[in-house]
Amino acid sequence: MLKIGDFSKLSRISIRMLRHYDEIGLLVPESIDSATGYRYYSGTQLPIANRIHALREMGFGLSVTAEILKTYRDPEAFRQYLLLKRTEMLEQEEKIGRQLLLLETAITRLGKDENVMEYMVTLKEIPERTVASVRKIIPAYDQEGILWEQLRRELGPQNVQFATPCNAMAIFYDEGYKDIDPDVEIQLSVQGSYQNTENVVFKTVPPIQIASATYQGSYEQVSDVYQAVANWVKDNHYDFNGPMFSIYHVSPAQTQNPDELVTEVCFPVKKK
């Protein structure tokens, strides 16, 4: 019989963990001295301890390790556990790679761009949604309110239920900035099915991956935000993948104080 200290050295499992394994029933000592409480292990338990150690080194949690030990003599069952773990770790590797790239590009841009901390860019996906939409040529960007008024007026009679979040957004379809007659679509996310009206179209919008930055304050700073997002897209090896849009988290319909406005500038992107 082996004392816990000797078994710990041979199995390369700490005494603390051996005690924990005993408590959860993963590796129970061969015997316990009733007078002293000392734990004793047999040499035949070393292969089990080694299996546990190997599985933990592969990254398996304790609950999964316990399940594997029940079926480890079945090669196909063990293979399935290994394949699932490999898939999980490859996904983690990809995620860590993205995180490292984000860190590296942020470090590189610090000192070159004073807006790096002011306008932090994130990569995310907007899920599929149903929207109420109005798209028209308007006289100028600052007259976007024309579209919102049409949307409000024509949604009223149908008692439309808005989704949470409602994602009030404006999409800008022109390739560049236009002084007059920009092509603009506004959208609100809704719940349920409704009939199209004279100007409002209800449609399903597919999920979309975006790079975005959220800022607070007047729309005068939007050019700086555009530049910050564009720099991020370039630095992180993405391509633009559709017209940019803005999400109005706090809009002029909710406050007349420009300092309280909260806007998210979004660029659809895809990996190169």
PDB file of all heavy atoms in Angstrom, residues 144 147-148 167-173 184-187 243-248 264 266:
ATOM      1  N   GLU A 144     -33.207  63.202 -42.894  1.00  0.00           N
ATOM      2  CA  GLU A 144     -33.599  61.813 -42.657  1.00  0.00           C
ATOM      3  C   GLU A 144     -34.926  61.711 -41.912  1.00  0.00           C
ATOM      4  O   GLU A 144     -35.652  60.720 -42.001  1.00  0.00           O
ATOM      5  CB  GLU A 144     -32.491  61.123 -41.858  1.00  0.00           C
ATOM      6  CG  GLU A 144     -32.611  59.642 -41.707  1.00  0.00           C
ATOM      7  CD  GLU A 144     -31.475  59.098 -40.838  1.00  0.00           C
ATOM      8  OE1 GLU A 144     -30.287  59.286 -41.215  1.00  0.00           O
ATOM      9  OE2 GLU A 144     -31.779  58.492 -39.800  1.00  0.00           O
ATOM     10  N   LEU A 147     -38.154  60.346 -43.510  1.00  0.00           N
ATOM     11  CA  LEU A 147     -38.399  58.913 -43.547  1.00  0.00           C
ATOM     12  C   LEU A 147     -38.987  58.417 -42.224  1.00  0.00           C
ATOM     13  O   LEU A 147     -39.913  57.594 -42.209  1.00  0.00           O
ATOM     14  CB  LEU A 147     -37.099  58.154 -43.864  1.00  0.00           C
ATOM     15  CG  LEU A 147     -36.368  58.553 -45.152  1.00  0.00           C
ATOM     16  CD1 LEU A 147     -35.100  57.716 -45.319  1.00  0.00           C
ATOM     17  CD2 LEU A 147     -37.274  58.379 -46.361  1.00  0.00           C
ATOM     18  N   TRP A 148     -38.449  58.911 -41.123  1.00  0.00           N
ATOM     19  CA  TRP A 148     -38.940  58.478 -39.818  1.00  0.00           C
ATOM     20  C   TRP A 148     -40.385  58.906 -39.600  1.00  0.00           C
ATOM     21  O   TRP A 148     -41.176  58.181 -38.991  1.00  0.00           O
ATOM     22  CB  TRP A 148     -38.035  59.006 -38.707  1.00  0.00           C
ATOM     23  CG  TRP A 148     -36.675  58.354 -38.715  1.00  0.00           C
ATOM     24  CD1 TRP A 148     -35.496  58.904 -39.109  1.00  0.00           C
ATOM     25  CD2 TRP A 148     -36.384  57.010 -38.328  1.00  0.00           C
ATOM     26  NE1 TRP A 148     -34.480  57.993 -38.994  1.00  0.00           N
ATOM     27  CE2 TRP A 148     -34.985  56.822 -38.512  1.00  0.00           C
ATOM     28  CE3 TRP A 148     -37.143  55.955 -37.839  1.00  0.00           C
ATOM     29  CZ2 TRP A 148     -34.356  55.622 -38.225  1.00  0.00           C
ATOM     30  CZ3 TRP A 148     -36.516  54.753 -37.549  1.00  0.00           C
ATOM     31  CH2 TRP A 148     -35.127  54.587 -37.746  1.00  0.00           C
ATOM     32  N   ASN A 167     -33.404  48.310 -32.671  1.00  0.00           N
ATOM     33  CA  ASN A 167     -32.371  48.586 -33.682  1.00  0.00           C
ATOM     34  C   ASN A 167     -32.818  49.638 -34.695  1.00  0.00           C
ATOM     35  O   ASN A 167     -32.897  49.377 -35.902  1.00  0.00           O
ATOM     36  CB  ASN A 167     -31.970  47.304 -34.423  1.00  0.00           C
ATOM     37  CG  ASN A 167     -31.128  46.375 -33.576  1.00  0.00           C
ATOM     38  OD1 ASN A 167     -30.299  46.812 -32.799  1.00  0.00           O
ATOM     39  ND2 ASN A 167     -31.357  45.080 -33.699  1.00  0.00           N
ATOM     40  N   ALA A 168     -33.123  50.815 -34.203  1.00  0.00           N
ATOM     41  CA  ALA A 168     -33.460  51.909 -35.113  1.00  0.00           C
ATOM     42  C   ALA A 168     -32.212  52.283 -35.899  1.00  0.00           C
ATOM     43  O   ALA A 168     -31.231  52.761 -35.336  1.00  0.00           O
ATOM     44  CB  ALA A 168     -33.970  53.114 -34.316  1.00  0.00           C
ATOM     45  N   MET A 169     -32.244  52.050 -37.219  1.00  0.00           N
ATOM     46  CA  MET A 169     -31.029  52.266 -37.994  1.00  0.00           C
ATOM     47  C   MET A 169     -31.313  52.942 -39.321  1.00  0.00           C
ATOM     48  O   MET A 169     -32.433  52.891 -39.840  1.00  0.00           O
ATOM     49  CB  MET A 169     -30.296  50.950 -38.235  1.00  0.00           C
ATOM     50  CG  MET A 169     -31.030  49.954 -39.106  1.00  0.00           C
ATOM     51  SD  MET A 169     -29.999  48.480 -39.515  1.00  0.00           S
ATOM     52  CE  MET A 169     -29.668  47.798 -37.910  1.00  0.00           C
ATOM     53  N   ALA A 170     -30.280  53.585 -39.833  1.00  0.00           N
ATOM     54  CA  ALA A 170     -30.317  54.182 -41.165  1.00  0.00           C
ATOM     55  C   ALA A 170     -29.174  53.589 -41.974  1.00  0.00           C
ATOM     56  O   ALA A 170     -28.023  53.568 -41.521  1.00  0.00           O
ATOM     57  CB  ALA A 170     -30.180  55.692 -41.079  1.00  0.00           C
ATOM     58  N   ILE A 171     -29.514  53.107 -43.179  1.00  0.00           N
ATOM     59  CA  ILE A 171     -28.529  52.487 -44.069  1.00  0.00           C
ATOM     60  C   ILE A 171     -28.260  53.438 -45.226  1.00  0.00           C
ATOM     61  O   ILE A 171     -29.202  53.965 -45.842  1.00  0.00           O
ATOM     62  CB  ILE A 171     -29.048  51.149 -44.601  1.00  0.00           C
ATOM     63  CG1 ILE A 171     -29.433  50.242 -43.433  1.00  0.00           C
ATOM     64  CG2 ILE A 171     -28.009  50.472 -45.489  1.00  0.00           C
ATOM     65  CD1 ILE A 171     -30.154  48.983 -43.849  1.00  0.00           C
ATOM     66  N   PHE A 172     -26.989  53.645 -45.542  1.00  0.00           N
ATOM     67  CA  PHE A 172     -26.600  54.622 -46.555  1.00  0.00           C
ATOM     68  C   PHE A 172     -26.017  53.878 -47.757  1.00  0.00           C
ATOM     69  O   PHE A 172     -24.930  53.316 -47.690  1.00  0.00           O
ATOM     70  CB  PHE A 172     -25.592  55.605 -45.961  1.00  0.00           C
ATOM     71  CG  PHE A 172     -26.103  56.253 -44.693  1.00  0.00           C
ATOM     72  CD1 PHE A 172     -25.700  55.781 -43.454  1.00  0.00           C
ATOM     73  CD2 PHE A 172     -27.010  57.297 -44.747  1.00  0.00           C
ATOM     74  CE1 PHE A 172     -26.182  56.357 -42.279  1.00  0.00           C
ATOM     75  CE2 PHE A 172     -27.503  57.874 -43.584  1.00  0.00           C
ATOM     76  CZ  PHE A 172     -27.087  57.408 -42.343  1.00  0.00           C
ATOM     77  N   TYR A 173     -26.756  53.891 -48.861  1.00  0.00           N
ATOM     78  CA  TYR A 173     -26.431  53.036 -49.997  1.00  0.00           C
ATOM     79  C   TYR A 173     -25.444  53.651 -50.988  1.00  0.00           C
ATOM     80  O   TYR A 173     -24.853  52.936 -51.792  1.00  0.00           O
ATOM     81  CB  TYR A 173     -27.709  52.646 -50.746  1.00  0.00           C
ATOM     82  CG  TYR A 173     -28.521  51.615 -49.991  1.00  0.00           C
ATOM     83  CD1 TYR A 173     -29.575  51.993 -49.174  1.00  0.00           C
ATOM     84  CD2 TYR A 173     -28.214  50.267 -50.079  1.00  0.00           C
ATOM     85  CE1 TYR A 173     -30.318  51.050 -48.474  1.00  0.00           C
ATOM     86  CE2 TYR A 173     -28.943  49.312 -49.392  1.00  0.00           C
ATOM     87  CZ  TYR A 173     -29.999  49.709 -48.588  1.00  0.00           C
ATOM     88  OH  TYR A 173     -30.721  48.774 -47.887  1.00  0.00           O
ATOM     89  N   VAL A 184     -31.191  56.501 -48.900  1.00  0.00           N
ATOM     90  CA  VAL A 184     -31.175  56.126 -47.483  1.00  0.00           C
ATOM     91  C   VAL A 184     -32.359  55.205 -47.175  1.00  0.00           C
ATOM     92  O   VAL A 184     -33.472  55.430 -47.653  1.00  0.00           O
ATOM     93  CB  VAL A 184     -31.237  57.368 -46.566  1.00  0.00           C
ATOM     94  CG1 VAL A 184     -31.222  56.950 -45.096  1.00  0.00           C
ATOM     95  CG2 VAL A 184     -30.082  58.312 -46.862  1.00  0.00           C
ATOM     96  N   GLU A 185     -32.084  54.177 -46.393  1.00  0.00           N
ATOM     97  CA  GLU A 185     -33.147  53.304 -45.883  1.00  0.00           C
ATOM     98  C   GLU A 185     -33.125  53.341 -44.358  1.00  0.00           C
ATOM     99  O   GLU A 185     -32.061  53.294 -43.741  1.00  0.00           O
ATOM    100  CB  GLU A 185     -32.930  51.863 -46.345  1.00  0.00           C
ATOM    101  CG  GLU A 185     -33.964  50.892 -45.789  1.00  0.00           C
ATOM    102  CD  GLU A 185     -33.686  49.439 -46.137  1.00  0.00           C
ATOM    103  OE1 GLU A 185     -32.648  49.174 -46.787  1.00  0.00           O
ATOM    104  OE2 GLU A 185     -34.492  48.570 -45.746  1.00  0.00           O
ATOM    105  N   ILE A 186     -34.305  53.427 -43.755  1.00  0.00           N
ATOM    106  CA  ILE A 186     -34.396  53.314 -42.304  1.00  0.00           C
ATOM    107  C   ILE A 186     -35.113  52.021 -41.951  1.00  0.00           C
ATOM    108  O   ILE A 186     -35.939  51.520 -42.713  1.00  0.00           O
ATOM    109  CB  ILE A 186     -35.122  54.523 -41.677  1.00  0.00           C
ATOM    110  CG1 ILE A 186     -36.556  54.615 -42.180  1.00  0.00           C
ATOM    111  CG2 ILE A 186     -34.345  55.809 -41.938  1.00  0.00           C
ATOM    112  CD1 ILE A 186     -37.405  55.611 -41.392  1.00  0.00           C
ATOM    113  N   GLN A 187     -34.771  51.474 -40.797  1.00  0.00           N
ATOM    114  CA  GLN A 187     -35.370  50.215 -40.361  1.00  0.00           C
ATOM    115  C   GLN A 187     -35.640  50.240 -38.856  1.00  0.00           C
ATOM    116  O   GLN A 187     -34.884  50.837 -38.092  1.00  0.00           O
ATOM    117  CB  GLN A 187     -34.430  49.042 -40.651  1.00  0.00           C
ATOM    118  CG  GLN A 187     -34.182  48.727 -42.100  1.00  0.00           C
ATOM    119  CD  GLN A 187     -33.226  47.555 -42.273  1.00  0.00           C
ATOM    120  OE1 GLN A 187     -32.665  47.042 -41.299  1.00  0.00           O
ATOM    121  NE2 GLN A 187     -33.019  47.123 -43.511  1.00  0.00           N
ATOM    122  N   PRO A 243     -23.261  48.232 -47.641  1.00  0.00           N
ATOM    123  CA  PRO A 243     -23.373  49.636 -47.248  1.00  0.00           C
ATOM    124  C   PRO A 243     -23.291  49.818 -45.737  1.00  0.00           C
ATOM    125  O   PRO A 243     -23.781  48.981 -44.971  1.00  0.00           O
ATOM    126  CB  PRO A 243     -24.751  50.046 -47.778  1.00  0.00           C
ATOM    127  CG  PRO A 243     -25.517  48.772 -47.863  1.00  0.00           C
ATOM    128  CD  PRO A 243     -24.521  47.720 -48.220  1.00  0.00           C
ATOM    129  N   MET A 244     -22.650  50.881 -45.320  1.00  0.00           N
ATOM    130  CA  MET A 244     -22.549  51.169 -43.891  1.00  0.00           C
ATOM    131  C   MET A 244     -23.898  51.655 -43.378  1.00  0.00           C
ATOM    132  O   MET A 244     -24.755  52.107 -44.139  1.00  0.00           O
ATOM    133  CB  MET A 244     -21.442  52.178 -43.603  1.00  0.00           C
ATOM    134  CG  MET A 244     -21.664  53.597 -44.104  1.00  0.00           C
ATOM    135  SD  MET A 244     -22.721  54.652 -43.048  1.00  0.00           S
ATOM    136  CE  MET A 244     -21.911  54.481 -41.466  1.00  0.00           C
ATOM    137  N   PHE A 245     -24.061  51.556 -42.059  1.00  0.00           N
ATOM    138  CA  PHE A 245     -25.303  52.039 -41.454  1.00  0.00           C
ATOM    139  C   PHE A 245     -25.032  52.502 -40.029  1.00  0.00           C
ATOM    140  O   PHE A 245     -23.992  52.189 -39.430  1.00  0.00           O
ATOM    141  CB  PHE A 245     -26.395  50.966 -41.485  1.00  0.00           C
ATOM    142  CG  PHE A 245     -26.034  49.662 -40.817  1.00  0.00           C
ATOM    143  CD1 PHE A 245     -26.308  49.433 -39.480  1.00  0.00           C
ATOM    144  CD2 PHE A 245     -25.415  48.646 -41.546  1.00  0.00           C
ATOM    145  CE1 PHE A 245     -25.986  48.227 -38.874  1.00  0.00           C
ATOM    146  CE2 PHE A 245     -25.095  47.433 -40.961  1.00  0.00           C
ATOM    147  CZ  PHE A 245     -25.379  47.226 -39.615  1.00  0.00           C
ATOM    148  N   SER A 246     -25.976  53.255 -39.508  1.00  0.00           N
ATOM    149  CA  SER A 246     -25.896  53.736 -38.132  1.00  0.00           C
ATOM    150  C   SER A 246     -27.079  53.198 -37.347  1.00  0.00           C
ATOM    151  O   SER A 246     -28.204  53.133 -37.865  1.00  0.00           O
ATOM    152  CB  SER A 246     -25.905  55.266 -38.083  1.00  0.00           C
ATOM    153  OG  SER A 246     -24.737  55.804 -38.665  1.00  0.00           O
ATOM    154  N   ILE A 247     -26.825  52.799 -36.098  1.00  0.00           N
ATOM    155  CA  ILE A 247     -27.887  52.415 -35.181  1.00  0.00           C
ATOM    156  C   ILE A 247     -28.027  53.532 -34.157  1.00  0.00           C
ATOM    157  O   ILE A 247     -27.046  53.913 -33.507  1.00  0.00           O
ATOM    158  CB  ILE A 247     -27.579  51.082 -34.481  1.00  0.00           C
ATOM    159  CG1 ILE A 247     -27.400  49.969 -35.510  1.00  0.00           C
ATOM    160  CG2 ILE A 247     -28.694  50.724 -33.499  1.00  0.00           C
ATOM    161  CD1 ILE A 247     -27.003  48.626 -34.911  1.00  0.00           C
ATOM    162  N   TYR A 248     -29.237  54.057 -34.017  1.00  0.00           N
ATOM    163  CA  TYR A 248     -29.484  55.178 -33.112  1.00  0.00           C
ATOM    164  C   TYR A 248     -29.988  54.639 -31.774  1.00  0.00           C
ATOM    165  O   TYR A 248     -31.183  54.421 -31.575  1.00  0.00           O
ATOM    166  CB  TYR A 248     -30.498  56.135 -33.729  1.00  0.00           C
ATOM    167  CG  TYR A 248     -30.086  56.651 -35.089  1.00  0.00           C
ATOM    168  CD1 TYR A 248     -30.859  56.391 -36.223  1.00  0.00           C
ATOM    169  CD2 TYR A 248     -28.917  57.393 -35.257  1.00  0.00           C
ATOM    170  CE1 TYR A 248     -30.486  56.860 -37.472  1.00  0.00           C
ATOM    171  CE2 TYR A 248     -28.532  57.867 -36.499  1.00  0.00           C
ATOM    172  CZ  TYR A 248     -29.322  57.598 -37.601  1.00  0.00           C
ATOM    173  OH  TYR A 248     -28.948  58.055 -38.843  1.00  0.00           O
ATOM    174  N   GLU A 264     -24.219  54.149 -32.987  1.00  0.00           N
ATOM    175  CA  GLU A 264     -23.273  53.081 -33.324  1.00  0.00           C
ATOM    176  C   GLU A 264     -23.059  53.088 -34.834  1.00  0.00           C
ATOM    177  O   GLU A 264     -24.005  52.901 -35.599  1.00  0.00           O
ATOM    178  CB  GLU A 264     -23.794  51.728 -32.861  1.00  0.00           C
ATOM    179  CG  GLU A 264     -22.814  50.585 -33.089  1.00  0.00           C
ATOM    180  CD  GLU A 264     -23.284  49.275 -32.480  1.00  0.00           C
ATOM    181  OE1 GLU A 264     -24.392  49.249 -31.895  1.00  0.00           O
ATOM    182  OE2 GLU A 264     -22.546  48.274 -32.595  1.00  0.00           O
ATOM    183  N   CYS A 266     -21.687  51.348 -38.068  1.00  0.00           N
ATOM    184  CA  CYS A 266     -21.510  49.932 -38.406  1.00  0.00           C
ATOM    185  C   CYS A 266     -21.101  49.755 -39.866  1.00  0.00           C
ATOM    186  O   CYS A 266     -21.702  50.353 -40.753  1.00  0.00           O
ATOM    187  CB  CYS A 266     -22.811  49.164 -38.167  1.00  0.00           C
ATOM    188  SG  CYS A 266     -23.524  49.403 -36.528  1.00  0.00           S
TER     189      CYS A 266
END
